[in-house]
């Protein structure tokens, strides 16, 4: 039963013609909880969405939706988040988190404690990590060469290039002064198992200079 005052989580997917202002529904509203939409090519959009009855925090399955017919094809179950799931208050602004290039869809993917860059092919198969550990906030790519806004280690966000061979190179040093002027605490991983046998993972940040 719907309780009054609660925002409904289910949404629809629409295709808008900017020339006429007319839109039509590719996915009717009220049927799925849509997590992410990502244009794959001129005919197809990838949609990550959860069906009725799936857990509130389930990321959703991955579908390919035909832009002409609206036909949707389930590609796979997809447990990853297709955005930067590394929470921090050290970001300023945002940018692109998906881009089609070279017949593949490049995406940021929450992967354990990291948010990395990976690709999806036409069947929804996910590649291995394409970049170093850390958190990719946003990126752009062309011809297999990418530029990332990413945080590495204790460093704040900088720009990095990623070539077609997977070699990553730091391009900017805007925030070097922070580590030069301040002592920064390194987070330490901590895991424990609760009374129901569920493993809980977190972090401890000790004060700088802690003994």
């Amino acid at each position: 039963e719907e309780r009054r005052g609660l925002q409904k989580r289910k949404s629809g997917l629409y295709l808008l013609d900017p020339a006429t202002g007319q839109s039509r529904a590719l996915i009717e509203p009220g049927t799925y909880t849509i997590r992410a939409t990502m244009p794959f090519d001129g005919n197809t959009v990838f949609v990550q969405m959860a069906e009725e009855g799936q857990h509130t925090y389930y990321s959703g399955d991955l579908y390919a939706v035909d832009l002409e017919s609206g036909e949707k094809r389930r590609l796979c179950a997809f447990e990853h988040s297709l955005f930067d799931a590394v929470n921090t208050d050290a970001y300023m602004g945002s940018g692109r988190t998906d881009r089609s290039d070279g017949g593949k869809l490049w995406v940021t993917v929450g992967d354990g404690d990291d948010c990395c860059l990976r690709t999806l092919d036409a069947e929804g198969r996910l590649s291995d990590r394409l970049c170093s550990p850390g958190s990719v906030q946003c990126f752009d790519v062309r011809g297999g060469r990418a530029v990332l806004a990413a945080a590495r280690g204790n460093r704040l966000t900088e720009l990095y290039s990623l070539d077609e061979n997977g070699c990553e190179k730091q391009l900017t040093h805007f925030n070097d002064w922070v580590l030069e002027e301040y002592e920064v605490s390194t987070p330490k991983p901590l895991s424990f198992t609760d009374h129901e046998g569920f493993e809980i993972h977190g972090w401890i940040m000790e004060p700088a200079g802690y003994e």
Side-chain angles (χ1 to χ4, degrees):
E1 181 181 354
E2 291 282 353
R3 288 183 289 173
R4 298 178 64 182
L6 292 182
Q7 181 180 4
K8 296 179 181 179
R9 299 185 63 88
K10 300 182 185 66
S11 49
L13 178 65
Y14 297 83
L15 184 66
L16 173 69
D17 185 341
T20 64
Q22 299 296 312
S23 65
R24 58 185 174 90
L26 295 175
I27 297 175
E28 292 294 335
T31 53
Y32 293 89
T33 300
I34 297 176
R35 308 291 191 194
T37 58
M38 302 152 290
F40 183 76
D41 55 30
N43 303 311
T44 308
V45 62
F46 278 6
V47 184
Q48 185 184 24
M49 55 191 182
E51 298 183 49
E52 177 72 32
Q54 291 179 319
H55 193 278
T56 302
Y57 298 117
Y58 177 63
S59 295
D61 299 338
L62 190 65
Y63 290 80
V65 180
D66 187 278
L67 295 178
E68 183 63 32
S69 66
E71 178 184 356
K72 58 182 180 293
R73 177 169 58 96
R74 183 181 178 277
L75 300 176
C76 59
F78 203 82
E79 298 181 354
H80 302 282
S81 58
L82 290 171
F83 52 85
D84 188 354
V86 179
N87 293 321
T88 174
D89 59 0
Y91 285 164
M92 182 175 181
S94 61
R96 180 181 293 276
T97 57
D98 63 88
R99 165 74 85 175
S100 182
D101 182 78
K104 297 181 180 181
L105 183 66
W106 296 59
V107 290
T108 57
V109 177
D111 190 358
D113 296 324
D114 298 329
C115 181
C116 58
L117 188 62
R118 302 172 76 169
T119 61
L120 289 163
D121 66 12
E123 297 303 316
R125 291 183 287 260
L126 194 63
S127 74
D128 293 332
R129 294 185 181 202
L130 302 176
C131 60
S132 303
S135 175
V136 177
Q137 180 184 1
C138 54
F139 73 94
D140 207 346
V141 61
R142 181 174 297 179
R145 299 174 64 89
V147 173
L148 326 172
R152 298 287 182 252
N154 280 349
R155 295 184 175 275
L156 294 174
T157 303
E158 301 286 356
L159 293 179
Y160 296 81
S161 65
L162 182 70
D163 66 21
E164 58 271 20
N165 297 316
C167 295
E168 189 175 294
K169 178 182 178 182
Q170 185 172 342
L171 301 177
T172 64
H173 295 269
F174 296 125
N175 296 305
D176 284 355
W177 65 273
V178 175
L179 294 182
E180 293 169 358
E181 295 186 17
Y182 295 94
E183 185 175 353
V184 178
S185 174
T186 300
K188 297 181 179 180
L190 173 70
S191 296
F192 67 94
T193 303
D194 71 4
H195 66 283
E196 295 181 346
F198 185 79
E199 185 178 4
I200 298 174
H201 172 60
W203 299 87
I204 287 179
M205 288 189 69
E206 298 170 345
Y210 176 78
E211 296 181 5

